[in-house]
Amino acid sequence: MALVTFISDFGDQDHYVPAVKAKMLAINPQLNIIDLSHHIKSFDLEQAAFILKASFRDFPKGTVHLVAVNTTGEMTQGYIGAKLEEHIFIAPNNGILSLLADKEPGILVKFADIHVQESSFPAKDILAPIAAKVASGAAIHDFGGPLDQFKKAMPRNPKATREFITGHVIRVDRYGNAITNISKELFDKLNPGNFTIEIGRERLDRLHNGFGQVDLGDCFAYFNSLGLLEIAINHGDAGSLLGLRFESVVTIYFNP
């Protein structure tokens, strides 16, 4: 199955998304193109990487992922293809791929000049044709040569000691739930049994498994399906009510 996912910061009010899809479908009308999101904040690599990281492994191995976020400008150093965990990524070389996993890509290719024409719309003119052809059976090696290193962005990692973990909100979803970068793996490794989660003026001293365990309007914390600490209010907007936004600090104190 020729499957391509597509994520961008184009929005849905202009011609950009349909133009990119049309370019791919003109090459292979049988392509199955899945939209991940086109509502990424303009140029926001971290938001795009979060959505892509949270979803790409759920697609079949061999899926091609077209990444069209901040495709022009000084941050972008050419265009690349990468094979990571049996998935293929076609993207600008702007650091976004470094935010998807701790491991290095198994294959990394810089697209050759013959495939990288001057364009004010590289998602359509450069990335879309390569993505469509790779999804149709071509190899990423067909479009360029090996690349030793790709541009890397600095991930936001929590700080941890035996006394505390300090992390940040990395996403407030449409329900107002605040997703942090504190993983269950790290928490389980350090937790002595008693703890206090501090979010602004709110204090929580227990974890729940989900919304069904708390009353309407209750604030609570749980580890979500991604294994990340999430702060929510049942049928409420934790982001607005607790003043949480991207980069808000969340600290877990461990009590002896």
Side-chain angles (χ1 to χ4, degrees):
M1 177 175 60
L3 181 61
V4 179
T5 76
F6 183 17
I7 187 169
S8 78
D9 54 1
F10 295 155
D12 59 8
Q13 297 182 348
D14 299 296
H15 70 285
Y16 305 121
V17 170
V20 172
K21 289 183 178 181
K23 188 75 171 185
M24 289 190 282
L25 292 171
I27 293 170
N28 181 356
Q30 303 304 315
L31 285 178
N32 186 6
I33 303 172
I34 306 296
D35 296 301
L36 295 185
S37 177
H38 299 297
H39 292 277
I40 304 300
K41 184 178 177 181
S42 298
F43 319 118
D44 193 333
L45 298 185
E46 292 197 21
Q47 183 188 3
F50 173 80
I51 292 174
L52 193 54
K53 183 177 181 179
S55 60
F56 84 84
R57 294 179 180 88
D58 293 325
F59 287 92
K61 292 181 178 180
T63 296
V64 174
H65 304 277
L66 172 57
V67 184
V69 177
N70 197 11
T71 55
T72 60
E74 294 182 358
M75 287 186 65
T76 295
Q77 299 174 359
Y79 303 92
I80 58 177
K83 186 175 184 179
L84 177 66
E85 299 182 21
E86 302 301 318
H87 290 255
I88 304 297
F89 296 86
I90 309 298
N93 186 16
N94 58 15
I96 190 168
L97 295 187
S98 68
L99 300 174
L100 299 183
D102 295 331
K103 61 182 69 175
E104 295 286 318
I107 299 174
L108 190 61
V109 172
K110 182 176 181 180
F111 297 139
D113 290 344
I114 191 172
H115 301 291
V116 183
Q117 58 184 291
E118 284 291 329
S119 172
S120 62
F121 194 176
K124 174 189 173 186
D125 298 328
I126 299 171
L127 301 179
I130 295 175
K133 292 173 184 177
V134 171
S136 302
I140 54 175
H141 289 301
D142 296 340
F143 302 95
L147 180 65
D148 293 333
Q149 289 289 334
F150 63 129
K151 187 169 182 178
K152 296 185 177 180
M154 292 295 293
R156 298 176 185 273
N157 295 318
K159 297 179 180 179
T161 70
R162 293 185 180 276
E163 288 77 35
F164 66 87
I165 301 172
T166 295
H168 295 83
V169 173
I170 57 175
R171 175 71 176 157
V172 178
D173 69 16
R174 67 181 300 271
Y175 296 100
N177 304 327
I179 303 167
T180 78
N181 62 350
I182 299 174
S183 70
K184 187 176 187 302
E185 180 181 7
L186 179 60
F187 174 81
D188 288 345
K189 183 177 179 179
L190 297 175
N191 178 28
N194 297 311
F195 60 88
T196 302
I197 302 172
E198 182 178 293
I199 324 102
R201 291 174 293 186
E202 191 73 26
R203 304 289 188 276
L204 303 171
D205 58 8
R206 61 175 298 192
L207 291 166
H208 292 81
N209 292 325
F211 289 79
Q213 292 189 329
V214 299
D215 293 331
L216 295 181
D218 281 356
C219 179
F220 68 104
Y222 70 108
F223 284 100
N224 63 22
S225 61
L226 303 173
L228 298 175
L229 183 71
E230 186 165 326
I231 310 300
I233 294 176
N234 194 4
H235 281 231
D237 186 332
S240 295
L241 294 174
L242 300 179
L244 299 176
R245 55 188 181 277
F246 179 68
E247 291 191 326
S248 290
V249 175
V250 177
T251 301
I252 303 175
Y253 292 100
F254 297 119
N255 308 317

